C-alpha cells in the first residue's frame, strides 16, 4: 500500500510540476503572440482575405488531411511565398502578412498547417519527424505549384518550420526556388531538448493538452531529425536566406555561424537581428518581407 501511495504521490508531483511549467510559460507569453491571435481573427473575418484549401491524401500509414490558406486562389502564375510555422502553431503564425496590401500586391501568400496541426489532420501516431513531415507535405507543394502555373515557390519557415524548409527544398527541388529560414535549428547538438521538455515527457500524457504533448514530441525528436538531414543540407543548391535574433533563447544564434559551413553549395545570405528574440516572424515582419523580396530577386523562377 505504501508503494502504491508513493507512486501516486510521485505522479501527482510530476503533474503539478508539469502544469506549473506550462502556466509559467503562458504567463510570460509575449504580447505579440496575443496580438497575433486578434490579427488572425481579423483576417479570418474579413471577406476575400484568405481562401481555405483542403487536400485529402492517402499514405502508407493511412489517410490524412492537409490544409492551407491562400491570398489569391486564381491559377495565374505569380511570385508565390509559402509560410511554414513552428511548434506549436498553425498557419495563423503569419496572419499579419495577409494584411499587408503592398506585400499581397507583389506575391501570392500561402500559409500551411503542418501535418498534425491546425486543420491538417493525421492518422496514427503523431508525425513528429521532420522527414515524415516532408513526405506528407510534398503533395501539398505539388498542388500549390500546379495552381501557380508550374512556377516554383519560395519557402519561408519559422523555428521548427525553419528547420523543415531546407529539407522540403532538398526533397522537392522541382517546386522550390528559394528558402528563407527564420530562427531555425540546424546544428543537431544545439537543438538538444531542455529540462522542461524532459519533465513534460515524464508527465502522464492524459493530463497534458495535445497541443503541449505534440509540440514536446517534436522538440524531443528534433536533434535526431537534424542529424538525419545533414547530408541533404550539405548537397542543397537552392538559394537560402537566414534571419536570426542575437537574443534568441530558444534557438541558439550559433546556428547562423554553423549554416555558413553547412550550406556550402548554396548561395547563403545571413542577417543577424541585433537584440531580437525568437519570434521574429511577429516582431520583425519588415525584415522578413525584405528578405523575401531579396530572395525573389536572387532565385530563378
Amino acid at each position: 500500500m505504501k508503494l502504491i501511495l508513493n507512486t501516486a504521490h510521485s505522479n501527482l508531483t510530476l503533474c503539478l510540476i508539469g502544469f506549473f511549467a506550462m502556466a509559467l510559460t503562458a504567463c510570460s507569453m509575449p504580447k505579440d503572440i496575443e496580438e497575433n491571435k486578434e490579427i488572425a481573427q481579423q483576417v479570418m473575418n474579413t471577406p476575400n482575405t484568405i481562401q481555405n484549401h483542403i487536400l485529402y491524401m492517402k499514405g502508407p500509414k493511412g489517410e490524412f488531411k492537409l490544409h492551407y490558406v491562400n491570398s489569391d486562389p486564381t491559377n495565374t502564375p505569380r511570385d508565390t511565398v509559402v509560410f511554414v510555422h513552428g511548434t506549436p502553431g498553425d498557419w495563423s503564425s503569419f496572419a499579419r502578412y495577409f494584411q499587408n496590401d503592398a506585400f499581397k500586391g507583389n506575391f501570392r501568400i500561402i500559409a500551411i498547417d503542418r501535418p498534425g496541426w491546425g486543420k491538417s489532420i493525421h492518422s496514427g501516431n503523431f508525425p513528429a519527424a521532420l522527414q515524415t513531415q516532408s513526405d506528407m507535405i510534398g503533395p501539398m507543394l505539388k498542388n500549390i505549384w500546379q495552381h501557380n502555373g508550374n512556377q516554383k515557390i519560395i519557402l519561408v519557415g519559422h523555428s521548427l518550420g525553419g528547420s523543415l524548409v531546407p529539407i522540403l527544398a532538398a526533397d522537392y527541388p522541382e517546386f522550390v526556388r528559394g528558402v528563407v529560414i527564420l530562427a531555425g535549428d540546424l546544428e543537431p547538438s544545439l537543438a538538444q531538448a531542455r529540462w522542461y521538455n524532459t519533465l513534460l515527457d515524464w508527465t502522464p500524457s492524459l493530463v497534458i493538452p495535445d497541443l503541449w504533448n505534440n509540440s514536446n514530441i517534436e522538440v524531443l525528436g528534433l536533434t535526431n531529425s537534424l542529424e538525419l538531414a545533414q547530408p541533404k543540407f550539405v548537397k542543397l543548391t537552392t538559394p537560402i536566406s537566414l534571419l536570426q535574433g542575437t537574443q534568441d533563447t530558444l534557438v541558439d544564434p550559433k546556428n547562423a555561424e554553423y549554416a555558413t559551413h553547412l550550406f556550402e553549395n548554396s548561395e547563403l545570405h545571413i542577417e543577424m537581428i541585433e537584440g531580437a528574440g525568437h519570434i521574429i516572424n511577429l516582431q520583425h515582419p519588415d525584415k522578413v518581407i525584405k528578405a523575401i523580396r531579396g530572395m525573389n530577386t536572387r532565385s530563378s523562377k
Side-chain angles (χ1 to χ4, degrees), residues 36-48:
N36 189 69
K37 292 180 181 179
E38 297 178 6
I39 293 173
Q41 285 297 322
Q42 294 170 9
V43 168
M44 287 186 286
N45 293 334
T46 303
N48 303 318

Side-chain angles (χ1 to χ4, degrees), residues 13-49:
T13 301
L14 285 172
C15 293
L16 291 174
I17 294 174
F19 278 126
F20 175 75
M22 289 187 287
L24 183 63
T25 302
C27 290
S28 61
M29 185 178 294
K31 63 179 179 61
D32 304 86
I33 295 179
E34 289 300 322
E35 179 185 80
N36 189 69
K37 292 180 181 179
E38 297 178 6
I39 293 173
Q41 285 297 322
Q42 294 170 9
V43 168
M44 287 186 286
N45 293 334
T46 303
N48 303 318
T49 301

Side-chain angles (χ1 to χ4, degrees), residues 5 101 104 127 145 161-162 170 175 196 217 252 275 287:
L5 289 175
D101 291 335
K104 284 198 302 182
W145 172 76
F175 307 140
Y196 46 81
I217 292 171
D252 196 316
K287 290 186 179 295

Side-chain angles (χ1 to χ4, degrees), residues 38 95 100 133 258 295:
E38 297 178 6
N100 188 315
Q133 293 261 323
Y258 179 74
M295 178 56 68

Side-chain angles (χ1 to χ4, degrees), residues 1 9 16 27 43 49 64-65 68 72 109 125 133 151 168 209 218 225 250 256 260 274 281 292:
M1 176 66 72
H9 181 267
L16 291 174
C27 290
V43 168
T49 301
F64 59 97
K65 183 172 72 174
Y68 67 88
D72 177 5
I109 308 172
N125 295 329
Q133 293 261 323
Q151 179 172 306
L168 292 170
E218 288 191 319
S225 284
L250 293 180
T260 62
E274 190 65 34
N281 59 313
I292 292 170

Side-chain angles (χ1 to χ4, degrees), residues 6 19 22 31 42 49 52 57 68 72 86 90-91 98 157 162 175 189 200 206 213-214 226 253 265 284-285:
N6 285 342
F19 278 126
M22 289 187 287
K31 63 179 179 61
Q42 294 170 9
T49 301
N52 291 279
M57 312 300 301
Y68 67 88
D72 177 5
D90 59 20
W91 73 266
F98 290 88
F175 307 140
S189 66
L200 286 179
L206 290 177
N213 193 44
N214 293 340
L226 289 174
N265 291 306
H284 298 277

